[in-house]
Amino acid sequence: TGAQQSATVANPASGASPDLLPHFQLEPEDVYIVKNKAVSLACRATPATQIYFKCNGEWVHQADHVTQHSTDRATGLPVMEVRIEVTRQQVEKIFGLEEYWCQCVAWSSSGTTKSQKAFVRIAYLRKNFEQEPMAREVSIEQGIVLPCRPPEGIPPAEVEWLRNEELVDPALDANVYVTPEHSLVLRQARLADTANYTCVAKNIVARRRSASAAITVYVNGGWSTWTQWSGCSTSCGRGWQKRSRTCTNPTPLNGGAFCEGQNVQKTACTTLCPVDGVWSEWSKWSVCGAECTHWRSRECSEPAPRNGGRDCHGPELDTRNCTSELCSHAAPAEDVALYVGLVAVAVCLVLLLLVGVLVYCRKKGGLDADVADSSILTAGFQPVSIKPSKADNPSLLTIQPDLSTTTMTYQGSLCSRQEGPAKLQLPNGHLLSPLGTGRHTLHHSSPAAEGADFVARLSTQSYFRSLPRGNTNMAYGTFNFLGGRLMIPNTGISLLIPPDAIPRGKIYEVYLTLHKQEEVRLPLAGCQTLLSPIVSCGPPGVLLTRPAILAMGHCVEASAENWSIRLKKQSCEGTWEDVLQLGAEPCTELYYCQLEAQACYIFTEQLGRFALVGESLSMAASKRLKLVLFAPAACPSLEYNIRVYCLSDTQDVLKEVIQLEKQLGGQLIGAPRVLHFKDSYHNLRLSIHDMPSSLWKSKLLASYQEIPFYHIWSGLQPFLHCTFTLERLSPSTCELACKIWVWQVEGDGQSFTVNFNIAKDTRFSDWLVPDSEVGAPALVGPSAFKIPFLIRQKIISSLDPPGTRGADWRMLAQKLNLDSHLSFFASKPSPTAMILNLWEARHFPNGNLSQLAAAVAEVGKQDNALFAVSEAEC
């Protein structure tokens, strides 16, 4: 051809270098023919004398080339650019045989160079999808896969998804992604995912849409917990009572299944009928007496009232004259003289007996004022190096009790602080008994030997029976100026009465009570929540010369930016008042509070009923919840219940739940966990997973249970729990393995891995028998304190006065990490006594006296003249 002939002619253009092969600055690219539009291919080379296209091995005719000549400004070499057009007809001629391709060939005086091949294809996109998405109904949180295989096309179609005609962008929604096979995947179905989904395929030719697939996300209903049983329908005899539940945990949505089972349960009940009392027959008349009367009686016993029946009405004794009022009432004169003589003799005998008792008690009772044996200083306080006291201050090593005043019990108004008359005068008792005439050692006696003996001796007195006995949430004891301690075992609640807090010469009976929350109404407003147990100590209104320290647990994660915490006290009228705001300057010196990680220590000079209440200042405020799992120790049926308690993280609540589960025959099946519950208004959710389906099945219809936020946040419902009811598929199945998740929506969470044998596994049985606290509920006198009395007095007298180089009570507070309370300590007559009292409250009974001794010794190094007690006395 002409093209072939011209291609073989070497005719270098002027200026072309004879030593260079042509190289391509522009090579032809792959192109697609859309519909009937021709496409253009171009190439450019330098230095080149000729350029021609070859398509599918054949040269393109020279007339079909469009050529442009130019010069490269940088090198001065000639540049040639050539273009051709390719039509749909040219490509279709070889369609099905091979692909249509074209290539450039450039010449120079040095030879030829070929460009890359450019393929020319006819673009298309078929109408029908190979696979379209299908409509589905799925349960909430279930995964969804919507397949889509786009129509065949050249170039291959790109795929995108529409949700209700809006583009689905996986970059904006982490719950959605598109697979390489173009399927749309929803990891967990949400209610908002209910929509019409469309698969769209497009390329340069066309855009195709699949049929829309309707996805419906439904929620199956779940039962709420049962309400409490109603009262019996009859007040007498056989009746019925009922309880109910609602299908609201969760409520069924979008066609989800309604709860299966009954929403009301009824059971028979029997109420004992009240029986009114009826009088018996009158007895016979008595013999006519000296006063000319006789009497008869009857009893309300035929029958006696019972089951709330009414008592008999009328008198039980009937008296009348038996001589028609003719009897004389004057007694003979000799009888009067006889009676007067007998009374006089009786009075004399009583006086002699009282004198004898007082003389005996003077010999046996009280404390010897001359306690000189230094062995008292060795009762657990060895590490301190103290030197002998100065001769001019002998009182540091002696106790001078006031034995001149007869002791008395406190009696008076519960609200007034005025002293009343003595209700019962007692001789000097065990705590004030004299030590004799010799030299004696004052020992730390055991609680059973000293406190219990003293309480036992005083318990025979009538005033000591004024408080109820036998309550595990109550402690009581009788105390004098030596002070003491009350503790409610296994609750973390105690009351420390320091020495000299009770005036000398007085004896008070003091009680400490933990209240059940259903017994005491504590009004809460707004974001307020109960952070501690409600505790009473009393009697209110007693005269205390120094603050007592009430210790109790709390469940707050305290921080000044998240919480406003107040100490509340119930007034005599029954209203609750704020007496202290923690972190602020106290408005009165009667109260102070040391708040630690899990306990608070309240200094109070007025006993009463107290509670710690918090108000959240931000959604980051959190409370500690204790999560505890219980299940039956024996399982005679196929059903098996796991109870998950969500409790305030205080010892008293855990103690109550353990006692409750003991009554129900429950066992602990996992170590308790702590969860931080935030003030975010989100509920607490509980779910169970990973049970072997061949052995167990859950009877819970929903995927999780919920406890409403306000039920937990108020703190007024102490035993909140959810029950997971499981069913064994075989009575021989005893191994249970599962996971229980407890989490706050958008908050903290905990998981329990349960793996145990329900018939014989008792790994956690020790939790059901909590270790009793050391000592008795009431400790009186020196046995209630770790620091020996004389050592305490020496430390107080030495550190209260300002010391050189700051070697005084302020340095001791710093050593014990109590320097944030210096202003409160300084407001008291003896700051050192306040520090030691707080140390006693925080560290009894397991406090390390060696650490305290080291702190005191550090203060002593600052002032070498601080102590003057010999090594033998330490």
Side-chain angles (χ1 to χ4, degrees):
T1 63
Q4 292 173 328
Q5 294 173 356
S6 62
T8 60
V9 178
N11 185 20
S14 60
S17 173
D19 300 326
L20 295 177
L21 287 173
H23 73 273
F24 287 95
Q25 296 178 341
L26 175 66
E27 297 186 73
E29 302 285 345
D30 294 347
V31 291
Y32 295 95
I33 296 176
V34 179
K35 296 182 180 179
N36 293 320
K37 295 181 180 178
V39 295
S40 175
L41 299 177
C43 63
R44 182 171 62 246
T46 181
T49 57
Q50 291 181 2
I51 299 178
Y52 289 98
F53 272 94
K54 179 186 286 186
C55 293
N56 284 81
E58 296 183 358
W59 292 102
V60 178
H61 197 277
Q62 185 176 3
D64 295 330
H65 291 74
V66 177
T67 304
Q68 289 184 348
H69 295 275
S70 61
T71 302
D72 190 330
R73 294 182 179 180
T75 62
L77 297 176
V79 177
M80 178 178 288
E81 182 175 343
V82 177
R83 293 178 181 271
I84 66 169
E85 283 193 351
V86 180
T87 64
R88 184 185 184 103
Q89 290 77 13
Q90 291 175 273
V91 177
E92 287 179 341
K93 284 181 181 179
I94 62 170
F95 186 75
L97 299 177
E98 59 176 323
E99 287 192 292
Y100 190 90
W101 58 268
C102 294
Q103 184 181 35
C104 276
V105 181
W107 282 264
S108 70
S109 58
S110 300
T112 62
T113 303
K114 295 180 179 180
S115 71
Q116 66 181 10
K117 289 183 179 181
F119 291 91
V120 181
R121 300 180 178 93
I122 299 175
Y124 67 94
L125 182 63
R126 302 197 184 279
K127 292 184 178 181
N128 297 325
F129 281 75
E130 295 184 8
Q131 185 178 9
E132 294 185 293
M134 304 295 292
R136 292 183 60 187
E137 293 183 354
V138 295
S139 174
I140 193 168
E141 295 189 352
Q142 180 181 340
I144 306 174
V145 178
L146 294 177
C148 177
R149 292 172 59 190
E152 179 187 352
I154 294 179
E158 298 177 357
V159 174
E160 61 186 17
W161 284 89
L162 302 180
R163 178 196 288 135
N164 289 340
E165 302 303 321
E166 292 185 0
L167 182 65
V168 176
D169 188 355
L172 301 179
D173 189 349
N175 193 47
V176 177
Y177 71 95
V178 179
T179 67
E181 294 78 24
H182 311 299
S183 297
L184 179 66
V185 178
L186 304 180
R187 291 184 174 90
Q188 285 187 320
R190 305 161 296 190
L191 290 176
D193 293 326
T194 299
N196 292 322
Y197 290 83
T198 307
C199 181
V200 177
K202 62 181 180 179
N203 65 4
I204 60 176
V205 178
R207 188 171 185 266
R208 313 287 188 208
R209 290 167 55 99
S210 71
S212 294
I215 299 299
T216 302
V217 180
Y218 62 86
V219 179
N220 290 325
W223 288 115
S224 65
T225 55
W226 288 103
T227 62
Q228 297 293 325
W229 286 104
S230 66
C232 201
S233 61
T234 61
S235 58
C236 174
R238 187 174 177 83
W240 55 268
Q241 56 186 158
K242 67 177 182 178
R243 63 177 182 174
S244 61
R245 58 181 178 175
T246 57
C247 189
T248 56
N249 189 26
T251 303
L253 292 174
N254 296 339
F258 198 76
C259 303
E260 295 182 2
Q262 298 178 341
N263 65 334
V264 177
Q265 281 185 345
K266 290 187 178 181
T267 185
C269 59
T270 302
T271 306
L272 297 176
C273 298
V275 177
D276 296 337
V278 178
W279 290 113
S280 65
E281 295 293 330
W282 286 102
S283 67
K284 294 182 179 181
W285 288 102
S286 66
V287 178
C288 193
E291 296 182 355
C292 302
T293 60
H294 62 170
W295 53 270
R296 63 177 181 174
S297 64
R298 58 180 178 175
E299 294 181 350
C300 188
S301 60
E302 293 185 3
R306 62 179 182 269
N307 304 331
R310 291 174 295 186
D311 288 332
C312 303
H313 292 286
E316 61 180 349
L317 189 66
D318 183 19
T319 306
R320 71 180 183 182
N321 188 282
C322 56
T323 59
S324 301
E325 300 182 0
L326 298 178
C327 176
S328 172
H329 295 281
E334 58 270 17
D335 291 345
V336 173
L338 176 62
Y339 295 151
V340 171
L342 291 175
V343 170
V345 172
V347 169
C348 291
L349 290 175
V350 170
L351 290 176
L352 288 174
L353 180 62
L354 289 176
V355 170
V357 170
L358 289 175
V359 171
Y360 177 80
C361 292
R362 287 287 183 174
K363 292 181 179 181
K364 300 294 183 181
L367 292 172
D368 193 341
D370 186 17
V371 180
D373 194 339
S374 65
S375 59
I376 185 175
L377 303 179
T378 65
F381 203 24
Q382 303 294 341
V384 186
S385 177
I386 304 180
K387 299 179 181 179
S389 61
K390 297 180 181 179
D392 58 350
N393 195 6
S395 62
L396 290 176
L397 299 179
T398 62
I399 305 176
Q400 301 290 343
D402 183 5
L403 301 180
S404 63
T405 308
T406 304
T407 59
M408 63 184 71
T409 182
Y410 171 77
Q411 179 190 18
S413 167
L414 292 182
C415 296
S416 171
R417 294 194 59 152
Q418 298 179 356
E419 299 178 33
K423 183 175 181 180
L424 176 67
Q425 293 192 351
L426 298 175
N428 291 331
H430 171 67
L431 288 180
L432 300 179
S433 59
L435 299 177
T437 57
R439 300 166 63 87
H440 298 275
T441 302
L442 182 59
H443 295 285
H444 275 269
S445 61
S446 68
E450 183 169 350
D453 177 65
F454 185 45
V455 172
R457 286 205 278 160
L458 289 178
S459 64
T460 59
Q461 306 298 333
S462 60
Y463 77 92
F464 196 74
R465 302 191 186 101
S466 59
L467 295 174
R469 304 297 188 234
N471 189 344
T472 58
N473 288 334
M474 183 177 184
Y476 44 84
T478 303
F479 303 93
N480 66 357
F481 74 95
L482 291 177
R485 185 187 306 264
L486 290 176
M487 296 179 292
I488 302 178
N490 306 315
T491 63
I493 299 172
S494 66
L495 178 68
L496 178 74
I497 305 172
D500 291 324
I502 297 176
R504 296 195 176 214
K506 293 185 179 294
I507 291 180
Y508 293 159
E509 183 184 17
V510 181
Y511 63 85
L512 179 65
T513 304
L514 167 64
H515 294 281
K516 294 184 177 180
Q517 294 172 356
E518 60 267 22
E519 298 173 353
V520 179
R521 177 173 176 79
L522 176 60
L524 299 175
C527 299
Q528 289 184 341
T529 175
L530 182 63
L531 301 175
S532 73
I534 302 175
V535 179
S536 290
C537 53
V542 298
L543 175 66
L544 294 179
T545 58
R546 297 185 180 182
I549 301 179
L550 175 64
M552 58 185 178
H554 66 79
C555 61
V556 63
E557 289 294 300
S559 60
E561 63 272 13
N562 295 331
W563 284 101
S564 172
I565 303 175
R566 290 177 169 83
L567 177 66
K568 285 184 175 286
K569 181 176 183 290
Q570 194 172 29
S571 67
C572 300
E573 293 77 17
T575 59
W576 286 87
E577 301 172 347
D578 294 341
V579 296
L580 180 67
Q581 180 175 355
L582 275 63
E585 286 295 326
C587 56
T588 173
E589 296 182 357
L590 296 177
Y591 308 99
Y592 191 77
C593 183
Q594 156 80 358
L595 188 69
E596 298 190 352
Q598 295 185 328
C600 62
Y601 301 91
I602 301 168
F603 292 78
T604 175
E605 297 182 18
Q606 293 184 353
L607 304 184
R609 183 171 296 168
F610 296 93
L612 206 62
V613 172
E615 182 174 2
S616 64
L617 305 179
S618 73
M619 295 178 68
S622 64
K623 296 172 59 175
R624 294 189 312 275
L625 297 185
K626 181 81 77 176
L627 307 178
V628 193
L629 270 61
F630 281 94
C635 183
S637 65
L638 294 179
E639 281 195 356
Y640 192 73
N641 294 325
I642 297 179
R643 294 180 289 276
V644 184
Y645 287 87
C646 305
L647 314 172
S648 296
D649 185 20
T650 55
Q651 294 183 40
D652 60 293
V653 180
L654 182 60
K655 171 188 173 183
E656 292 289 336
V657 170
I658 290 176
Q659 292 175 346
L660 174 64
E661 282 293 332
K662 281 185 179 180
Q663 299 173 4
L664 297 176
Q667 66 171 337
L668 194 68
I669 62 172
R673 303 284 182 85
V674 174
L675 181 142
H676 294 86
F677 190 79
K678 292 186 177 181
D679 183 19
S680 62
Y681 300 98
H682 288 299
N683 297 340
L684 190 70
R685 290 184 177 177
L686 304 93
S687 61
I688 188 167
H689 307 275
D690 299 344
M691 281 187 305
S693 58
S694 60
L695 301 176
W696 295 85
K697 72 175 182 178
S698 172
K699 302 188 76 173
L700 182 68
L701 299 178
S703 58
Y704 58 84
Q705 300 188 65
E706 276 195 350
I707 299 179
F709 168 81
Y710 288 103
H711 289 186
I712 298 175
W713 191 254
S714 68
L716 299 178
Q717 301 188 36
F719 306 140
L720 288 172
H721 71 279
C722 282
T723 300
F724 292 99
T725 301
L726 312 180
E727 184 177 0
R728 293 185 287 177
L729 301 184
S730 170
S732 62
T733 300
C734 292
E735 296 293 334
L736 174 61
C738 63
K739 284 187 177 181
I740 295 178
W741 285 86
V742 184
W743 75 100
Q744 186 181 16
V745 179
E746 298 184 11
D748 191 17
Q750 288 284 6
S751 67
F752 294 84
T753 300
V754 179
N755 193 346
F756 77 112
N757 188 301
I758 66 175
K760 58 184 179 182
D761 200 332
T762 58
R763 280 176 292 168
F764 302 97
S765 58
D766 292 343
W767 281 85
L768 295 180
V769 187
D771 296 330
S772 298
E773 293 182 13
V774 177
L779 299 175
V780 293
S783 64
F785 303 96
K786 294 284 290 182
I787 308 173
F789 183 81
L790 296 183
I791 291 290
R792 169 190 171 91
Q793 295 300 101
K794 174 64 178 176
I795 296 174
I796 292 174
S797 62
S798 301
L799 297 185
D800 273 351
T804 59
R805 293 176 293 177
D808 52 22
W809 63 270
R810 290 167 295 183
M811 183 173 292
L812 178 61
Q814 182 181 6
K815 298 293 182 184
L816 299 178
N817 297 320
L818 299 175
D819 45 341
S820 60
H821 312 300
L822 293 181
S823 59
F824 170 72
F825 296 148
S827 67
K828 299 301 176 184
S830 175
T832 310
M834 294 298 101
I835 296 173
L836 298 182
N837 293 344
L838 180 55
W839 188 92
E840 290 276 8
R842 296 169 67 194
H843 296 91
F844 190 87
N846 300 317
N848 190 336
L849 274 176
S850 299
Q851 293 181 355
L852 178 61
V856 175
E858 286 293 324
V859 178
K861 290 180 181 179
Q862 305 296 324
D863 187 348
N864 295 328
L866 185 59
F867 298 111
V869 179
S870 66
E871 290 292 334
E873 292 176 310
C874 292

Coordinates of all heavy atoms in Angstrom, one line a residue, residues 8 191 248 291 419 487 491 576 632 654 733:
T8 N 8.6 3.0 4.4 CA 9.9 2.5 4.1 C 10.9 3.5 3.6 O 12.1 3.3 3.5 CB 9.9 1.4 3.1 OG1 9.3 1.9 1.9 CG2 9.0 0.2 3.6
L191 N -33.1 -0.2 65.1 CA -34.4 0.2 64.7 C -34.3 1.2 63.5 O -35.2 1.3 62.6 CB -35.2 0.8 65.9 CG -35.6 -0.2 67.0 CD1 -36.3 0.6 68.1 CD2 -36.6 -1.2 66.4
T248 N -42.9 -5.2 78.7 CA -42.3 -3.9 78.4 C -40.8 -3.9 78.6 O -40.2 -2.9 78.7 CB -42.9 -2.8 79.3 OG1 -42.7 -3.2 80.7 CG2 -44.4 -2.6 79.1
E291 N -62.1 -4.2 155.6 CA -62.7 -2.9 155.2 C -64.2 -3.1 154.8 O -64.8 -2.2 154.1 CB -61.9 -2.3 154.0 CG -60.5 -2.0 154.4 CD -59.8 -1.3 153.2 OE1 -60.4 -1.3 152.1 OE2 -58.6 -0.9 153.4
E419 N -29.7 18.5 131.4 CA -29.6 17.3 132.2 C -30.9 17.2 133.1 O -31.4 18.1 133.6 CB -28.4 17.3 133.2 CG -27.1 17.4 132.4 CD -25.9 17.5 133.3 OE1 -26.0 16.9 134.4 OE2 -24.9 18.2 133.0
M487 N -19.8 -1.2 117.5 CA -19.6 -1.7 116.1 C -20.8 -2.6 115.7 O -21.3 -3.4 116.6 CB -18.3 -2.5 116.0 CG -17.1 -1.6 116.2 SD -15.6 -2.7 116.0 CE -15.8 -3.7 117.5
T491 N -20.5 -4.6 108.7 CA -21.1 -3.5 108.0 C -20.2 -2.3 107.8 O -20.5 -1.4 107.0 CB -22.4 -3.0 108.8 OG1 -22.0 -2.4 110.0 CG2 -23.4 -4.1 109.0
W576 N -35.3 16.4 107.5 CA -33.9 16.2 107.2 C -33.2 17.6 106.9 O -33.7 18.3 106.0 CB -33.6 15.2 106.1 CG -33.9 13.8 106.5 CD1 -35.1 13.2 106.5 CD2 -33.0 12.9 107.0 NE1 -35.0 11.9 106.9 CE2 -33.7 11.7 107.3 CE3 -31.6 12.9 107.3 CZ2 -33.0 10.5 107.8 CZ3 -31.0 11.8 107.8 CH2 -31.7 10.6 108.1
P632 N -29.3 -21.2 93.0 CA -29.7 -22.2 94.0 C -28.6 -23.2 94.3 O -27.9 -23.6 93.3 CB -30.9 -22.9 93.4 CG -31.4 -21.9 92.4 CD -30.3 -21.2 91.8
L654 N -24.3 -5.6 101.2 CA -23.8 -6.9 100.8 C -24.1 -7.9 102.0 O -24.5 -9.0 101.7 CB -22.3 -6.9 100.6 CG -21.7 -8.2 100.2 CD1 -22.3 -8.7 98.9 CD2 -20.2 -8.1 100.0
T733 N -27.7 -33.1 83.3 CA -26.8 -32.0 83.0 C -26.5 -31.2 84.3 O -27.4 -30.7 85.0 CB -27.4 -31.1 82.0 OG1 -27.6 -31.8 80.8 CG2 -26.5 -29.9 81.7

